[in-house]
Structure formats: structure tokens, C-alpha cells
Amino acid sequence: MKLFLSLFVLLYLFTSFSAYSQSPENIASDRPGNAYTSTAVGSRVFQFQNGIDFNTLKFDNNFPEPSKFTNATIFQSNLIRYGIGAKNEINAAIDYTRLESNRSTFGDPRTGISKLGLAYRRNFTEKLLKSSSIGMLAQINFNDILNEFKNSNPDAFVLVLTQTPISKIFALTTNLGFDFSDQQGQSGLTSNFLYTINLGFGIKGNLSGYIESYGAYSNGNNNLYIDGGIAYLISPNVQLDLYGGFSSDQDFIEYFVSTGISWRVGNL
């Protein structure tokens, strides 16, 4: 925890430049997909990003039961963002989960709050990389105070965020950083390198799409996900989305699909 707080302070001091916030004309959302945008929501703007995710994980490590099981999960994800001036924003993340599993150790379906997090996002100046936008995001999740999905410790992550226009149609978004998280079968917190590479593109009018790859790397193991989807801008302040993806290795295969809405109110 002391290391996380120290990094948070250093990143805050290092990023004390002029800022880049989202265009007042159209909403800029972290949805759809895993990538976080480097833009802030703007001064005194509330932005809400809500979604429902369906996830199926089939695990089979070629050993006898109970090492073979299937998890079916429904997530309700909620992110609230608020702009403190043009440079900064604070976020609150609250996820609600229902998990059903045929794994004998899980018993009855588990339901409850699965994430309770607070985050801070800040922008670098655009001019560092010409037309690119650069920012950072630091988040801590208080999983140690949850009930059904409680972990032994809070976990946290820090990401450097970039957005770079490639042409009038394409834009590249990247997230690079690391986390501190509880790992099953291990005591204390472990660290993983986190990455996301997202290619967004316009389709027609208010319809856009993306493809991306993301994951976590630690001790020679790379947990890789691939997904893609579309977003439709109903109005400058409201966006709908739909996306899906998968992950697979020698022990498991996972599929997921998500749909949601992003909307904003305030000083627009």
C-alpha cells in the first residue's frame, strides 16, 4: 500500500502540465472494450458508464475433479466519473455479480458487490506527442471489505494512457502499467504487467467500431484476451455499445459479451 501511494504522488507531480479533456461536442467513453481513454470528462461534468456482461469460463487442466468446472457469470458494471477542472477527474467503480458454478467448493450461486473502487485520472499535454493525448489512471479496489467476493487485501493498478489518431478513420489507444492483486494459492499481493492495444475506427455516421488485445503478464505467463465491438452515438451526450471476446490457453477457454450505455450531465 505504501508503494502504491508513493507512485500515486509521483505520477501526480510528474503530470502537472496543461490538460486535454474530451470534446464538448460528443461524449468520450471508456466503453466499449477494456481500454481506458486518456481524456478527462471536463470541468463539473458527471459521466456514467453502465453495462451488463455475460461470461462463461470452462476450466479443464486434464486432472480429475474438481479441477474441471464451468463458471457462468453475470456482471453489472457501473462507473461514475466526475471532472475536477479540465485536468483531473475522480472515478467510482461499483460492480454487482452473480456467479454460478458446478465446482463443488463454490456451493450455491454467489451474488453481491464484486468490486468497490476509487480512481484518479489526469491528462498530460497533447503537445508531448504532437496530436496524441497522454494521461494516467490510478485505482484502488477495496475487495477486503466485500462479502461474497472478498479478498484478503485491497488491490490496485496504475496505467499510462495514450490516444493517437492514425488517420481520419482510425485511432490507436494504449494502456500500459501494472497492478497489485491477490492470486489464488498465494499469500499477499502479487504484481502483473498490464497492457491494452485498441484500434478504433469510424464505420458510418454515428456508428464506430474497435478491435483490441489486452491481458496481464507475470512470471512468463501471459493471460491474453481478444475482443471487438461497436458503439452508436444517439446524441452528443448518450452512447450505446455492444461487444464480445474470448481468452484461451491449455487449461481454460473463456467467452464474454457485454452491452451498455454511457451518458453525461453537467457543465457541457
Side-chain angles (χ1 to χ4, degrees):
M1 183 61 64
K2 291 182 178 179
L3 177 59
F4 172 77
L5 292 174
S6 298
L7 289 169
F8 188 97
V9 173
L10 287 173
L11 284 168
Y12 180 86
L13 294 174
F14 183 64
T15 56
S16 297
F17 299 107
S18 60
Y20 174 78
S21 60
Q22 70 173 312
S23 166
E25 287 78 23
N26 293 318
I27 188 172
S29 176
D30 296 324
R31 297 187 60 91
N34 184 73
Y36 292 94
T37 63
S38 58
T39 55
V41 294
S43 180
R44 292 179 293 169
V45 171
F46 276 103
Q47 184 160 306
F48 303 88
Q49 299 169 186
N50 313 108
I52 298 178
D53 304 348
F54 302 89
N55 175 290
T56 299
L57 183 148
K58 295 183 178 181
F59 184 87
D60 184 353
N61 63 2
N62 298 318
F63 288 97
E65 295 287 347
S67 296
K68 299 179 181 181
F69 60 88
T70 299
N71 290 345
T73 310
I74 299 177
F75 300 92
Q76 182 183 0
S77 59
N78 302 282
L79 183 65
I80 304 171
R81 303 168 61 182
Y82 179 71
I84 306 175
K87 298 182 179 182
N88 310 283
E89 70 173 57
I90 54 175
N91 303 164
I94 306 173
D95 291 356
Y96 185 86
T97 296
R98 176 180 174 83
L99 170 63
E100 297 184 10
S101 177
N102 60 7
R103 191 177 187 181
S104 58
T105 55
F106 279 7
D108 295 332
R110 292 192 292 167
T111 59
I113 296 175
S114 55
K115 179 188 289 184
L116 185 60
L118 292 175
Y120 167 74
R121 185 177 337 212
R122 183 177 175 85
N123 298 128
F124 293 94
T125 174
E126 289 188 276
K127 296 179 181 179
L128 289 178
L129 287 177
K130 296 182 180 179
S131 60
S132 295
S133 171
I134 308 171
M136 57 80 64
L137 176 69
Q139 179 165 315
I140 182 169
N141 300 314
F142 299 96
N143 297 332
D144 58 325
I145 66 174
L146 303 180
N147 292 319
E148 291 295 325
F149 298 92
K150 181 175 181 177
N151 288 332
S152 300
N153 302 284
D155 63 49
F157 66 83
V158 178
L159 296 172
V160 175
L161 320 171
T162 72
Q163 289 175 271
T164 304
I166 298 176
S167 68
K168 292 183 179 180
I169 298 177
F170 294 97
L172 183 67
T173 299
T174 67
N175 298 170
L176 298 175
F178 58 91
D179 70 359
F180 298 102
S181 62
D182 272 326
Q183 297 293 327
Q184 188 174 8
Q186 300 184 27
S187 60
L189 295 175
T190 61
S191 181
N192 303 282
F193 171 70
L194 305 178
Y195 63 90
T196 300
I197 301 174
N198 177 299
L199 180 66
F201 49 87
I203 298 176
K204 184 178 181 180
N206 291 336
L207 184 65
S208 62
Y210 82 96
I211 55 173
E212 74 175 357
S213 174
Y214 68 93
Y217 181 86
S218 179
N219 297 324
N221 296 318
N222 182 25
N223 188 12
L224 174 67
Y225 287 81
I226 297 174
D227 69 313
I230 57 174
Y232 183 74
L233 197 65
I234 295 179
S235 74
N237 301 318
V238 182
Q239 176 185 279
L240 300 179
D241 63 70
L242 176 66
Y243 69 95
F246 71 95
S247 178
S248 177
D249 71 7
Q250 61 181 358
D251 290 334
F252 75 91
I253 184 166
E254 181 177 0
Y255 297 99
F256 58 91
V257 63
S258 176
T259 185
I261 183 172
S262 302
W263 52 287
R264 63 180 180 174
V265 295
N267 184 34
L268 303 174

